[in-house]
Amino acid sequence: MRFVNRKSKSVLATRRDNKGYLYVAPFALGFIFLVLFPMIQSFIYSFNDLLFDGQVHLNFSGLANYRRALFEDVEYRQLLLSAVRDMALSVPVILVFSMIVAVFLNKNFPGRAVFQIIFFIPVIVSSGIIPELFENDLVRTAIVSAPTVSEEAVSSFDTSSMSALLISLNIPVALVNYIMQAIGNILEIVNSSGIQILVFTMGLKSISPSLYEASSIEGATAWESFWKITLPMILPQFVVNLTYTVIDSFVNNNNEIMQSINAYNYSRFDFGYAASLAWMYFAIILIILGVFVGLVNLFSRHYK
Amino acid sequence: MKIKQLKNVPSALFRYFILIGLSFLILYPIFVTVMISLMQTSDFTNSAVRYLSLSPTLENYKTAAIFLQYGQTLLRSLALNVPLCLLEIVSCMLVAYGFARFKFKGNGILFACVIMTLLIPSSIYFTPFYLSLQDYGPFHWNLLGTPLPLFLMSVCALGVKNGLVIYILRQHFKAYPKELEEAAEIDGAGSFRVFVSIMLPGAMSIAATCFLFIFVFRWTDPTYTNIFLPDTEFIWTRLSNIQTDMSLLPGVEQSDFYFRSILKNTSIVLYAIPLVVLFIFTKRSLVESVETSGLVG
């Protein structure tokens, strides 16, 4: 079978495979007409001043929109910088965190199903308009964060002494600060890892247990089998989660940049400018995602 | 054997420690919300009250229901979202089946487009689409203010985050052994028949899970719906109004922020009820689809 190359695929098989077009046709047509054409159009918009009075009037303005975004609009540059920084910092934390939780959930232990359900709850509660409503609810915030007796006892366990301990173990200061910051933001991290945990657990489930058995007979420790078996086997899920994490926080309509783009679009009707903002944002997302995926590929080459 | 079991005790304890701690983080805000929804304004100034009201009341739910125009807006929102989500799950499954089981030319590129739909900021393709709606197609239909564009997007599996659902389903369909399909085809079953009688029975729990995803995504992120149907009042439109407008309720001071908080928390509980109901119905499938994802592989 290995020597049969693509070109000599039988006519019958090709005819069978061509039926696939039928199934993906709704998506393909939708993509062409509802996404691709509008995308091209919006790319044109971004180089124009746009007037809309029932009909679209274009007024070519070259790079003016882009120039305005980068050199005149103080807000956009700042939003962009902070979004990129947040993205670069939070994506690894979320991925590592959801991987750890998924590995924990993968073992057989009583109550596992309950935890699996609990960890899905953030997907329901923490996306969309609910967190926005909680944000400026001062009364609620007061109740949530008022200290209790037990919390006072806990807070005597000072994080600064913890980080001092880690630094004294010759762990780089930047890394320690990063970890400490992640611990401080644990609630946000948990809240944005729901889907990722689920995707990882599904991936982990599909690894054949015999692999682990064989490796433990050979004398591999759990730590070794994690790096040598688990990680390479769930790399596909890793890439999906990576993509999804980037999307979830940065193409999400709650994101500040998305909101400002939407504001230009639907309340200020400055469509040309909004298009240029969106395209720049898209380019940056692609670049960052490309860097991340490149790193994962580099890592996976390690195993081949 | 005994020793090996004993060795596992610390790691099991550690696991429970971490998982219970994280579960607390997740459940605590929900607990607080429900508790606030049972309070009265006087409880906030009473230092003896932290979570549990001195005289718990369900009166808030009545007020919030009036404010949200609950029955009406809930029905309207469900009447729009349920058909949309059903369309989406069907088209996502068919598209995923097509991607998973047929090696046609351009499969890879088209699938990359699926992932791209997730990545593109929606405002890029939305504006031109939106602008063209006023004068759409060869017959110059005015589709603005009608749900038609939403249905069109759902049929094409282009709803909120549908790309993710297609990916998950494709992974699932890919795991079926080729022989099963071939045997059915030799017996004369067409590819659709294979889908219905071989793929579908095994995919029920993952489909239910994906339906939950689709419904949750749509319910909590109504941006699309708001853009296409700006003048229709849905439950989320009423909910976002709490910030600015409590005038619907007679005898309530606009500046009463204690009451505003109670109203907000109560309304959120009401808003989340459909999600909770669906979640209860699908949680079994949620666990099952994780459990069985290994068995077919």
Side-chain angles (χ1 to χ4, degrees):
Chain A
M1 281 306 276
R2 279 189 66 187
F3 301 104
V4 180
N5 66 17
R6 252 213 197 131
K7 272 178 191 151
S8 63
K9 208 159 88 173
S10 75
V11 182
L12 210 65
T14 320
R15 194 186 295 159
R16 186 194 168 273
D17 282 339
N18 280 345
K19 278 188 193 158
Y21 287 120
L22 215 65
Y23 291 96
V24 298
F27 172 79
L29 291 176
F31 184 78
I32 292 171
F33 288 106
L34 303 181
V35 179
L36 200 61
F37 282 170
M39 262 178 91
I40 295 167
Q41 222 151 25
S42 126
F43 193 63
I44 298 170
Y45 285 0
S46 73
F47 295 102
N48 284 284
D49 263 336
L50 207 120
L51 214 79
F52 184 73
D53 51 0
Q55 223 121 45
V56 181
H57 299 285
L58 293 177
N59 207 341
F60 186 73
S61 63
L63 287 170
N65 283 327
Y66 290 90
R67 225 175 285 139
R68 180 176 150 204
L70 288 177
F71 303 115
E72 286 163 39
D73 193 334
V74 196
E75 199 195 20
Y76 182 70
R77 233 179 346 183
Q78 237 153 25
L79 285 178
L80 203 60
L81 275 178
S82 69
V84 169
R85 200 193 48 221
D86 289 350
M87 177 178 339
L89 289 179
S90 68
V91 166
V93 180
I94 290 172
L95 285 179
V96 170
F97 173 81
S98 42
M99 174 103 82
I100 292 173
V101 174
V103 169
F104 276 162
L105 286 177
N106 191 37
K107 295 267 164 53
N108 251 323
F109 59 90
R112 183 169 62 140
V114 177
F115 284 118
Q116 223 154 53
I117 288 168
I118 290 177
F119 280 101
F120 185 74
I121 291 176
V123 179
I124 297 178
V125 237
S126 73
S127 61
I129 56 181
I130 296 176
E132 219 176 273
L133 285 167
F134 281 149
E135 213 161 75
N136 38 27
D137 189 344
L138 295 177
V139 180
R140 186 176 184 280
T141 315
I143 293 180
V144 170
S145 57
T148 57
V149 184
S150 56
E151 268 168 32
E152 268 159 30
V154 172
S155 69
S156 68
F157 175 75
D158 199 353
T159 49
S160 67
S161 61
M162 177 82 178
S163 52
L165 178 74
L166 287 175
I167 290 168
S168 71
L169 290 171
N170 278 335
I171 294 168
V173 181
L175 185 65
V176 172
N177 286 340
Y178 183 58
I179 293 170
M180 285 300 151
Q181 212 179 355
I183 293 172
N185 289 335
I186 187 76
L187 185 60
E188 273 167 57
I189 295 169
V190 176
N191 275 343
S192 38
S193 315
I195 296 268
Q196 289 88 330
I197 291 173
L198 203 71
V199 171
F200 272 141
T201 2
M202 284 179 177
L204 288 175
K205 273 275 154 222
S206 63
I207 301 175
S208 149
S210 56
L211 279 177
Y212 291 106
E213 270 164 39
S215 76
S216 79
I217 288 167
E218 299 282 336
T221 60
W223 180 250
E224 279 168 340
S225 64
F226 172 79
W227 288 98
K228 297 264 159 71
I229 301 172
T230 313
L231 209 55
M233 290 297 276
I234 58 170
L235 269 181
Q237 278 80 12
F238 199 87
V239 174
V240 176
N241 270 343
L242 181 66
T243 317
Y244 183 76
T245 313
V246 171
I247 296 154
D248 192 38
S249 35
F250 305 102
V251 196
N252 186 308
N253 280 313
N254 279 343
N255 178 278
E256 275 184 23
I257 293 193
M258 290 296 284
Q259 269 174 356
S260 101
I261 295 174
N262 282 343
Y264 277 110
N265 262 335
Y266 304 111
S267 40
R268 288 187 234 178
F269 304 110
D270 198 345
F271 298 112
Y273 186 53
S276 74
L277 294 184
W279 273 98
M280 269 189 279
Y281 192 44
F282 182 40
I284 287 169
I285 292 170
L286 276 190
I287 291 170
I288 291 189
L289 194 67
V291 170
F292 276 132
V293 172
L295 285 176
V296 173
N297 274 341
L298 216 68
F299 179 77
S300 68
R301 199 165 303 155
H302 198 69
Y303 290 103
K304 278 168 190 166
Chain B
M1 211 51 209
K2 270 260 165 76
I3 295 172
K4 205 179 173 195
Q5 271 169 3
L6 273 180
K7 243 168 71 182
N8 284 337
V9 169
S11 83
L13 279 180
F14 179 68
R15 187 185 312 125
Y16 276 116
F17 177 71
I18 298 276
L19 290 180
I20 290 173
L22 291 172
S23 306
F24 172 75
L25 275 180
I26 294 169
L27 295 176
Y28 179 61
I30 300 171
F31 168 75
V32 172
T33 305
V34 174
M35 282 301 149
I36 291 181
S37 76
L38 300 175
M39 284 186 185
Q40 292 171 333
T41 40
S42 60
D43 289 319
F44 288 119
T45 42
N46 188 335
S47 62
V49 175
R50 170 110 192 242
Y51 299 118
L52 188 62
S53 167
L54 287 180
S55 48
T57 169
L58 287 174
E59 199 63 21
N60 298 325
Y61 283 93
K62 227 181 261 171
T63 325
I66 295 171
F67 177 78
L68 293 173
Q69 298 171 307
Y70 194 56
Q72 215 180 335
T73 51
L74 182 74
L75 274 181
R76 197 179 290 148
S77 313
L78 286 175
L80 179 72
N81 274 1
V82 171
L84 282 177
C85 294
L86 285 173
L87 272 178
E88 273 168 41
I89 188 70
V90 170
S91 53
C92 281
M93 284 183 85
L94 288 171
V95 169
Y97 173 62
F99 277 121
R101 308 301 306 191
F102 302 92
K103 288 196 207 78
F104 53 88
K105 228 186 229 162
N107 187 319
I109 296 169
L110 259 178
F111 190 69
C113 291
V114 172
I115 302 297
M116 281 294 269
T117 57
L118 282 171
L119 274 177
I120 306 163
S122 59
S123 44
I124 283 190
Y125 58 91
F126 236 64
T127 324
F129 181 49
Y130 172 80
L131 292 180
S132 70
L133 282 177
Q134 218 165 50
D135 189 16
Y136 199 74
F139 302 108
H140 303 286
W141 289 325
N142 182 4
L143 297 183
L144 270 188
T146 70
L148 226 66
L150 287 171
F151 280 98
L152 198 63
M153 291 178 78
S154 292
V155 168
C156 298
L158 287 169
V160 191
K161 291 183 192 168
N162 277 180
L164 180 78
V165 174
I166 296 179
Y167 172 82
I168 292 176
L169 288 169
R170 171 177 165 267
Q171 286 293 96
H172 179 86
F173 288 136
K174 269 195 148 176
Y176 286 89
K178 190 122 188 95
E179 290 76 22
L180 215 62
E181 202 174 31
E182 275 166 3
E185 269 164 23
I186 286 167
D187 286 344
S191 60
F192 187 70
R193 183 75 199 278
V194 171
F195 175 72
V196 171
S197 43
I198 295 180
M199 301 287 168
L200 215 50
M204 282 330 268
S205 66
I206 190 104
T209 307
C210 286
F211 184 78
L212 175 69
F213 284 3
I214 289 176
F215 191 85
V216 168
F217 291 152
R218 202 165 255 292
W219 195 256
T220 56
D221 185 1
T223 320
Y224 289 177
T225 320
N226 288 345
I227 291 170
F228 288 124
L229 299 168
D231 301 325
T232 322
E233 284 223 313
F234 292 104
I235 189 161
W236 45 82
T237 352
R238 298 284 330 153
L239 192 63
S240 357
N241 279 352
I242 293 183
Q243 228 65 269
T244 48
D245 163 40
M246 294 200 298
S247 57
L248 217 90
L249 298 166
V252 173
E253 289 263 344
Q254 284 291 317
S255 56
D256 186 347
F257 56 90
Y258 286 134
F259 185 74
R260 192 184 292 256
S261 176
I262 290 182
L263 182 66
K264 210 188 267 182
N265 284 284
T266 315
S267 304
I268 286 173
V269 174
L270 285 178
Y271 171 68
I273 283 178
L275 299 179
V276 175
V277 171
L278 185 66
F279 187 53
I280 289 169
F281 275 115
T282 49
K283 69 175 195 300
R284 185 99 160 269
S285 323
L286 188 77
V287 177
E288 253 170 37
S289 55
V290 173
E291 294 298 317
T292 54
S293 61
L295 295 182
V296 280

